[in-house]
Amino acid sequence: MGIRNKLLDFKQRLSDRHMYSIVLVVTALIASAGIYQYKRALDYRNSVENQYNRAFHELVGYVENIEVALAKGMLVNSPRQMVSLSSEIWRKAAFAQANLGQLPISHVQLDKTSKFLTQVGDYTYSLSQKAMDGQELTDEEFENIDKLHKYAANLSQALNELQAEVYEGRIKFGELKKKGNRFMAQASKNVVVSKLENVEKEFQDYPSLIYDGPFSDHIERMDPRLLSGGSEITQEQAKEAVVKFLGQEKAQNIEFAGETNGTIKTYNFVVYPEGQAKGKENRRITIDVTKVNGYVLSMLDSRPVQRVSLNIEEAKQKAKAFLDEKGMHNMKESYYLENDGIAVINYAYVQDNIIMYPELVKVKVALDNGEVVGFESKGYIMSHQEKRELPEIKISQEEARAKLNKRLKIDSIRLAVIPLESKREVLCYEFQGKYGDRNFLIYINVETGKEEKILMLLETPNGVLTM
Amino acid sequence: MEWTPSFFVHIFTEMTKNKKEIKEVVNGMFSYRTFILMMIVFGISIFIYSYYDNSQLKLVKHDAVETGVRVLAQNATRENDIQLLARCVNGEARGEPYIGQVAVAAVILNRVKHPSFPNTLAGVIYQPGAFTAVQDGQINVPIDPNSTVYKACTDAMNGWDPSEGAIYYYNPAKTTNKWIYSREVIKTIGKHVFAK
């Protein structure tokens, strides 16, 4: 039967009374399915809208609380009061930030608000740490609190205005996400964006705080110690460094891949040991060489590992030999991880039997032939010193031991320099001990006797991790 | 006669008793054949709905069980973090060279540490508008721990950062956001420009 006939037949059938009812029924089914889906979509939209509203209203509440608490902070006298107040601010700043992150507003518009909240949290956290040691606040710190309070007050006011708009139904957060109704979305978006941009403008001139808390701005500005005073090398010299690092045999088809303009400036190369191919499957080694002094900052080899034949001890030996060959002596392995036939082993520099955790080098060893397939030395380059000036030990081992919780069963003690969040480095006694069936590391400052850090060791089948 | 459920029940019971009688009942509106056809269409649509719902349920269940078992056997937080990271990177940088995938993962991890962004991995990844892979649902595609993306994320977790501290990246051929060009560029890997 031809198509024409088929169509005619269909037309005839359609004119049949029975067929009409079928079409009617099918249409009804489709319509009901449509209504069902629409209802479901409406439900989802409402629940999303509710989520946004909850996040927003909670944000407003927390910022208000922070503002009030900062105002109180100006009047606090005793360190004990300060501890309770600043930990309250710290906690609320964290919640406020979490809620801010849930709003459907792009990060660009909230960049500074988010940063402000983090810094309020970090700053008050560092204050609470200080207060816990019984120290009173300096005038400068009170001034900082005052400044923060002013910004918090501005933010709080702007958010209150926005809240009023939300209550009046002029802003719907869900509409900010919606693409279909472009005009509506745009109108709503404009209100929110202009309001928030005003807040952001207020933050423009807000100074980066000078404090020692975690995540502070100055971390990025720290200069790599190993590169200070060095001389810049050329791209050709960097290429030679690559050949020297990988060995003649592997360093074939070296291609310059650009420069990196980060904290540590580097030349980047890609090496194709098996010949250059267009496809991505071919083995390639990426390697970054510092512009100053020509150290290898990182190396990654994409070679997959087929059959595992080495154990972790053999891998450690290979990695150690590799480091010695590269002129990195006195390195001691700390932790390792094993994954997919590759072991990642951490090494730290040792000076006079003191382990320097900030000076970290990571080596990836393939467990089939012991080849080094990865190398990372940012920690080492950032903080290595051949002979480090160490503080005088004022607390004896016995005194430090007395500061530990009696429930810890101590297995070993040694000296170590550890990095803290603020990129400060402190010399500590490292106590390794057991509580229950878990291993812990506790660090006691040799100068002040302060408990700087407690780490829990997680022994997994793939290696030991700290938490 | 009303189209209530009890009416359908009535017809069904009648149908089992006597075909002819139903024919008489139904003939007032349309033929017996039409009625059967209608029932079949109705049944099929119910079947499709239930199958659709079930298949979604199965996906979720399978997912949870599969990763759950592995997670219990190993370090829970770490494995979960890598899985989440890998899902995001898979959607964002699937076609990129290995080093580019490590770099994208490193950018996400750098954001966790940065004051302008949320302080948790999930917070950063699910931040509204931050990653297209989250918006279009690619984030829900499970990643095999033996895949390249997963390995790239493991490397980033272990501290490799080819982006050198970047907190933004973009594809100059695709981006429509002018603001992003104002950020200081660190380097280019594959199709992505990394900036801070």
Side-chain angles (χ1 to χ4, degrees), chain A residues 41 54 61 82 159 184 291 300 335:
Chain A
R54 183 195 54 77
M82 197 63 219
L159 287 175
M184 275 296 286
K291 277 189 186 175
L300 266 180
Y335 300 101

Side-chain angles (χ1 to χ4, degrees), chain A residues 17-18 21-22 25 29 33 36-37 40 97 101-108 111 114-115 118 177 215 217 220 257 259-264 268 280 284 286 288 297-300 302 337 339-340 344 362 364 374-376 378 458 460-462 465 467, chain B residues 27-31 34 37-38 41-42 45 49 52-53 73-75 77-79 95-99 102 113-119 126-129 135 145-146 151 154-155 158-162 164-165 168 177 179 183-188 196:
Chain A
R17 192 168 63 98
H18 302 154
S21 27
I22 290 183
V25 167
L29 277 174
Y36 173 68
Q37 292 292 345
R40 250 185 18 170
Q97 232 223 341
Q102 288 177 24
L103 294 181
I105 300 164
S106 88
H107 170 73
V108 179
D111 182 22
S114 169
K115 192 169 173 176
T118 309
K177 281 251 108 165
F215 316 129
D217 286 340
E220 282 205 342
E259 294 175 10
T260 301
N261 192 21
T263 320
I264 302 174
N268 316 321
K280 290 181 197 73
R284 59 166 92 192
T286 329
D288 291 1
L297 173 66
S298 78
M299 184 270 278
L300 266 180
S302 68
L337 262 180
N339 250 333
D340 293 320
V344 179
K362 289 166 191 157
K364 266 175 88 171
F375 176 82
E376 204 268 347
K378 188 167 186 180
L458 275 178
T460 69
N462 294 343
L465 291 169
M467 267 193 104
Chain B
N27 258 346
M29 290 162 296
F30 39 71
S31 74
T34 317
L37 244 164
M38 195 178 96
V41 170
F42 193 62
S45 58
Y49 266 135
Y52 177 70
D53 274 2
Q74 295 177 3
N75 172 10
T77 26
R78 201 183 146 84
E79 288 291 312
E96 290 290 302
Y98 183 75
I99 198 80
V102 180
K113 282 182 259 165
H114 198 274
S116 299
F117 290 88
N119 300 329
Y126 286 108
Q127 192 178 27
Q135 282 171 332
N146 292 318
K151 281 177 191 159
T154 313
D155 273 338
N158 285 339
W160 268 265
D161 180 7
E164 271 303 309
Y168 298 102
N177 187 346
W179 171 86
R183 311 304 302 191
E184 190 188 335
V185 171
I186 294 176
K187 76 197 292 189
T188 305
K196 69 177 168 195

Side-chain angles (χ1 to χ4, degrees), chain A residues 260-274:
Chain A
T260 301
N261 192 21
T263 320
I264 302 174
K265 296 193 171 15
T266 58
Y267 293 113
N268 316 321
F269 296 93
V270 183
V271 180
Y272 300 86
E274 289 156 10

Side-chain angles (χ1 to χ4, degrees), chain A residues 208-352:
Chain A
S208 349
L209 291 168
I210 302 151
Y211 71 99
D212 246 4
F215 316 129
S216 66
D217 286 340
H218 70 264
I219 292 171
E220 282 205 342
R221 277 177 233 131
M222 205 174 96
D223 287 328
R225 261 187 220 149
L226 197 58
L227 305 182
S228 65
S231 54
E232 197 157 314
I233 60 165
T234 62
Q235 196 186 311
E236 271 311 304
Q237 283 170 312
K239 206 169 174 178
E240 280 163 31
V242 171
V243 175
K244 211 175 141 208
F245 189 83
L246 294 177
Q248 275 297 349
E249 193 194 326
K250 258 200 281 180
Q252 311 272 330
N253 305 314
I254 303 174
E255 192 182 271
F256 179 64
E259 294 175 10
T260 301
N261 192 21
T263 320
I264 302 174
K265 296 193 171 15
T266 58
Y267 293 113
N268 316 321
F269 296 93
V270 183
V271 180
Y272 300 86
E274 289 156 10
Q276 216 155 333
K278 283 267 184 288
K280 290 181 197 73
E281 282 70 33
N282 244 24
R283 178 183 177 188
R284 59 166 92 192
I285 304 173
T286 329
I287 187 162
D288 291 1
V289 179
T290 61
K291 277 189 186 175
V292 175
N293 291 353
Y295 294 112
V296 172
L297 173 66
S298 78
M299 184 270 278
L300 266 180
D301 188 339
S302 68
R303 183 171 74 85
V305 174
Q306 307 300 347
R307 282 177 47 222
V308 174
S309 60
L310 298 179
N311 63 28
I312 192 72
E313 284 312 315
E314 288 165 311
K316 279 178 186 169
Q317 279 170 20
K318 294 270 188 194
K320 187 84 181 72
F322 177 83
L323 288 176
D324 279 332
E325 185 199 316
K326 301 297 171 223
M328 297 171 116
H329 303 288
N330 293 328
M331 302 301 284
K332 190 172 168 37
E333 89 257 358
S334 51
Y335 300 101
Y336 71 89
L337 262 180
E338 215 184 304
N339 250 333
D340 293 320
I342 289 176
V344 179
I345 310 167
N346 285 6
Y347 284 85
Y349 181 67
V350 179
Q351 173 192 325
D352 307 326

Side-chain angles (χ1 to χ4, degrees), chain A residues 376-425:
Chain A
E376 204 268 347
S377 65
K378 188 167 186 180
Y380 192 79
I381 288 175
M382 286 305 276
S383 53
H384 178 65
Q385 280 167 308
E386 205 51 52
K387 199 76 190 162
R388 191 186 280 257
E389 296 268 327
L390 290 170
E392 200 186 324
I393 297 177
K394 291 186 187 138
I395 305 272
S396 75
Q397 213 177 79
E398 277 65 42
E399 282 173 297
R401 192 192 277 261
K403 291 194 185 283
L404 293 179
N405 193 314
K406 298 287 170 290
R407 277 181 287 244
L408 186 82
K409 218 177 116 272
I410 298 162
D411 293 327
S412 68
I413 308 166
R414 64 176 171 181
L415 282 168
V417 171
I418 60 164
L420 295 180
E421 280 90 347
S422 50
K423 290 278 155 125
R424 263 186 316 138
E425 293 169 355

Side-chain angles (χ1 to χ4, degrees), chain A residues 59 122 369:
Chain A
L59 170 71
D122 288 349
N369 60 2

Side-chain angles (χ1 to χ4, degrees), chain A residues 27-292:
Chain A
T27 318
L29 277 174
I30 291 171
S32 59
I35 291 168
Y36 173 68
Q37 292 292 345
Y38 174 76
K39 282 233 168 208
R40 250 185 18 170
L42 202 68
D43 276 356
Y44 286 136
R45 207 183 307 151
N46 282 340
S47 73
V48 166
E49 179 78 38
N50 291 341
Q51 289 279 347
Y52 288 146
N53 281 336
R54 183 195 54 77
F56 178 72
H57 293 308
E58 276 192 19
L59 170 71
V60 176
Y62 284 127
V63 171
E64 254 167 32
N65 285 337
I66 290 168
E67 194 244 299
V68 171
L70 281 169
K72 282 188 207 160
M74 289 302 296
L75 305 170
V76 163
N77 218 359
S78 71
R80 244 188 69 195
Q81 266 286 316
M82 197 63 219
V83 171
S84 77
L85 196 64
S86 50
S87 39
E88 183 195 324
I89 300 174
W90 172 53
R91 192 172 64 92
K92 296 214 161 121
F95 286 143
Q97 232 223 341
N99 283 314
L100 185 71
Q102 288 177 24
L103 294 181
I105 300 164
S106 88
H107 170 73
V108 179
Q109 284 138 11
L110 292 174
D111 182 22
K112 296 205 176 57
T113 312
S114 169
K115 192 169 173 176
F116 170 74
L117 287 173
T118 309
Q119 291 199 325
V120 167
D122 288 349
Y123 189 63
T124 48
Y125 179 73
S126 72
L127 289 185
S128 77
Q129 292 294 305
K130 209 178 154 191
M132 243 182 262
D133 291 344
Q135 297 175 44
E136 290 196 3
L137 299 192
T138 62
D139 284 346
E140 200 190 329
E141 281 161 341
F142 275 118
E143 245 170 63
N144 274 338
I145 294 181
D146 192 30
K147 274 186 213 154
L148 287 177
H149 171 248
K150 284 196 183 107
Y151 287 111
N154 276 337
L155 179 62
S156 178
Q157 204 200 333
L159 287 175
N160 272 323
E161 283 167 20
L162 260 183
Q163 195 176 30
E165 306 252 354
V166 173
Y167 280 139
E168 283 165 26
R170 249 179 289 170
I171 296 173
K172 279 193 178 134
F173 283 105
E175 276 173 14
L176 296 182
K177 281 251 108 165
K178 218 158 74 180
K179 282 176 187 153
N181 194 344
R182 218 168 250 171
F183 181 73
M184 275 296 286
Q186 209 55 45
S188 199
K189 210 173 218 160
N190 284 342
V191 179
V192 176
V193 168
S194 68
K195 283 267 183 235
L196 286 172
E197 265 171 4
N198 282 338
V199 184
E200 289 277 306
K201 261 182 216 138
E202 303 271 0
F203 285 120
Q204 289 286 325
D205 47 276
Y206 121 85
S208 349
L209 291 168
I210 302 151
Y211 71 99
D212 246 4
F215 316 129
S216 66
D217 286 340
H218 70 264
I219 292 171
E220 282 205 342
R221 277 177 233 131
M222 205 174 96
D223 287 328
R225 261 187 220 149
L226 197 58
L227 305 182
S228 65
S231 54
E232 197 157 314
I233 60 165
T234 62
Q235 196 186 311
E236 271 311 304
Q237 283 170 312
K239 206 169 174 178
E240 280 163 31
V242 171
V243 175
K244 211 175 141 208
F245 189 83
L246 294 177
Q248 275 297 349
E249 193 194 326
K250 258 200 281 180
Q252 311 272 330
N253 305 314
I254 303 174
E255 192 182 271
F256 179 64
E259 294 175 10
T260 301
N261 192 21
T263 320
I264 302 174
K265 296 193 171 15
T266 58
Y267 293 113
N268 316 321
F269 296 93
V270 183
V271 180
Y272 300 86
E274 289 156 10
Q276 216 155 333
K278 283 267 184 288
K280 290 181 197 73
E281 282 70 33
N282 244 24
R283 178 183 177 188
R284 59 166 92 192
I285 304 173
T286 329
I287 187 162
D288 291 1
V289 179
T290 61
K291 277 189 186 175
V292 175

Side-chain angles (χ1 to χ4, degrees), chain B residues 117-178:
Chain B
F117 290 88
N119 300 329
T120 58
L121 186 64
V124 167
I125 288 178
Y126 286 108
Q127 192 178 27
F131 297 104
T132 42
V134 176
Q135 282 171 332
D136 62 18
Q138 288 188 69
I139 189 87
N140 297 322
V141 179
I143 303 295
D144 178 16
N146 292 318
S147 63
T148 325
V149 176
Y150 198 88
K151 281 177 191 159
C153 290
T154 313
D155 273 338
M157 276 291 217
N158 285 339
W160 268 265
D161 180 7
S163 81
E164 271 303 309
I167 49 168
Y168 298 102
Y169 66 86
Y170 55 93
N171 184 341
K174 279 188 193 158
T175 186
T176 51
N177 187 346
K178 289 194 186 76

